[in-house]
Amino acid sequence: MELVLLVLVVAFAGCFAFINGFHDVSNAVAAAVRTRALTPRIAVVLASICNLAGALLSSTLALLISTGWIGLPSGQSGLAILLAGLLSASAWGVFTWWLRMPSSSTHALVGGLVGAGAASTVLGGENISATENPIWAQLVLPLLLSPLVAFALSYLVMVPLTWLVRYRTPREVGRTTRLAQAVFAGTFSLGHGLQDGQRTMAVVLLALVAAGYATGEQMPIWVQVFAAVLLAVGALFGGWRISHTLGSRLVRIDPLHGAAAQGVGSAMLFIGAIGLHMPLSSTQTMTSSILGAGASQRMNTVRWRVAIRVLATWVLTLVVTSLLGGILLLAMDPVL
């Protein structure tokens, strides 16, 4: 049964990576496609290649998450928690994609694992525990604060940018900033692979450690390639249901504001992954950056009704996935 659970966890970790790429490709390219900096086909291919490269770039954050921050029960108990968490996060990703709502795959995974861990305790098993580092400061706080930071930075960066282009014609500004958008679409996709690709790596490594097939001291190369390829394939086949929400329904943005939002989002993902070794939600980072750039024009340019719906989806993500993760673990208990 333990081997079966391990195989299922690896398989559904691959599904989670695919859904992550499929769901989040809109974050990277929505603004660039909306302002016609890139065609949809070129944008998706660029996002897929950069996601692959980003996920292959590093596994440091995944190692920190799986061995430095989270202590998972060994054996069937730990594998069952991972499986329930992955199923919960994947189901929520598909549901929010169907609703055309940008939601955080990272928050969904955290919520699913927390709910499954709590249910494991109810059944008399072990729960997930924090290890060397304070999990609140290293994992939860960055995910909660990153949308506020992204909004503020994107809002503030528009002040010097608007001043710099004050004497240039809209056509000149559009030509330059569309080129910047094309570049930033690639860098954001690279950052998305660097951040979100390591979530899948961390889950698979946790499963291998729980089953006794790895020590957790280094990332097996096949795990890194596995996560990178499925994330990239998901991005390549990604739908455009969420792009309309980000590019048009939240706020109408021009190439200058789109470039600013993409630049801020890209910088935050790289600094979080490489500089601070902290996980950030690419969905929340980009959505908040777009809102900040749009609000810098005038607050009433933002469609706050849609923005509130997006915010409600973010809040519900942790609640619903926690409940679903717990229910799924309880449902699996008779079989285990």
Side-chain angles (χ1 to χ4, degrees), residues 13 16 20 61-62 65 86 105-107 109-110 139 143 192-206 227 269 273 278-282:
F16 173 77
N20 191 334
L61 186 56
I65 293 172
L86 285 167
S105 301
T106 304
H107 279 206
L109 182 59
V110 170
L139 182 64
L143 290 172
H192 177 265
L194 185 61
Q195 281 275 354
D196 287 44
Q198 296 194 63
R199 314 288 191 267
T200 302
M201 297 178 210
V203 169
V204 175
L205 185 58
L206 280 168
L269 292 185
M278 289 182 175
L280 301 180
S281 166
S282 59

Side-chain angles (χ1 to χ4, degrees), residues 110-230:
V110 170
L113 292 176
V114 168
S120 177
T121 304
V122 170
L123 293 172
E126 295 180 74
N127 197 348
I128 298 173
S129 61
T131 53
E132 299 173 3
N133 299 306
I135 192 170
W136 175 259
Q138 295 284 0
L139 182 64
V140 179
L141 202 58
L143 290 172
L144 294 177
L145 291 180
S146 57
L148 298 176
V149 174
F151 182 93
L153 286 178
S154 194
Y155 185 96
L156 292 173
V157 82
M158 285 307 305
V159 176
L161 283 180
T162 305
W163 184 83
L164 286 172
V165 302
R166 67 193 187 283
Y167 296 129
R168 300 181 65 182
T169 65
R171 186 171 183 176
E172 290 175 328
V173 174
R175 188 187 314 113
T176 303
T177 51
R178 282 190 180 94
L179 178 61
Q181 277 192 285
V183 174
F184 286 141
T187 57
F188 187 86
S189 297
L190 197 68
H192 177 265
L194 185 61
Q195 281 275 354
D196 287 44
Q198 296 194 63
R199 314 288 191 267
T200 302
M201 297 178 210
V203 169
V204 175
L205 185 58
L206 280 168
L208 292 172
V209 172
Y213 288 97
T215 61
E217 295 179 359
Q218 64 181 108
M219 184 65 64
I221 187 64
W222 73 265
V223 174
Q224 192 168 3
V225 173
F226 172 76
V229 169
L230 284 169

Side-chain angles (χ1 to χ4, degrees), residues 249-264:
R249 293 179 62 200
L250 274 176
V251 59
R252 291 192 179 275
I253 54 174
D254 57 27
L256 178 64
H257 292 80
Q262 289 176 293
V264 168

Side-chain angles (χ1 to χ4, degrees), residues 36-119:
R36 299 180 182 178
L38 292 170
T39 65
R41 180 171 296 180
I42 291 175
V44 168
V45 172
L46 175 66
S48 178
I49 294 171
C50 290
N51 267 286
L52 177 67
L56 293 174
L57 195 60
S58 174
S59 61
T60 303
L61 186 56
L63 288 169
L64 282 174
I65 293 172
S66 58
T67 59
W69 297 350
I70 297 176
L72 190 75
S74 59
Q76 292 186 24
S77 179
L79 292 170
I81 290 173
L82 289 175
L83 182 58
L86 285 167
L87 288 170
S88 174
S90 298
W92 182 251
V94 173
F95 179 65
T96 51
W97 168 83
W98 180 73
L99 289 179
R100 302 175 188 257
M101 282 289 114
S103 67
S104 171
S105 301
T106 304
H107 279 206
L109 182 59
V110 170
L113 292 176
V114 168

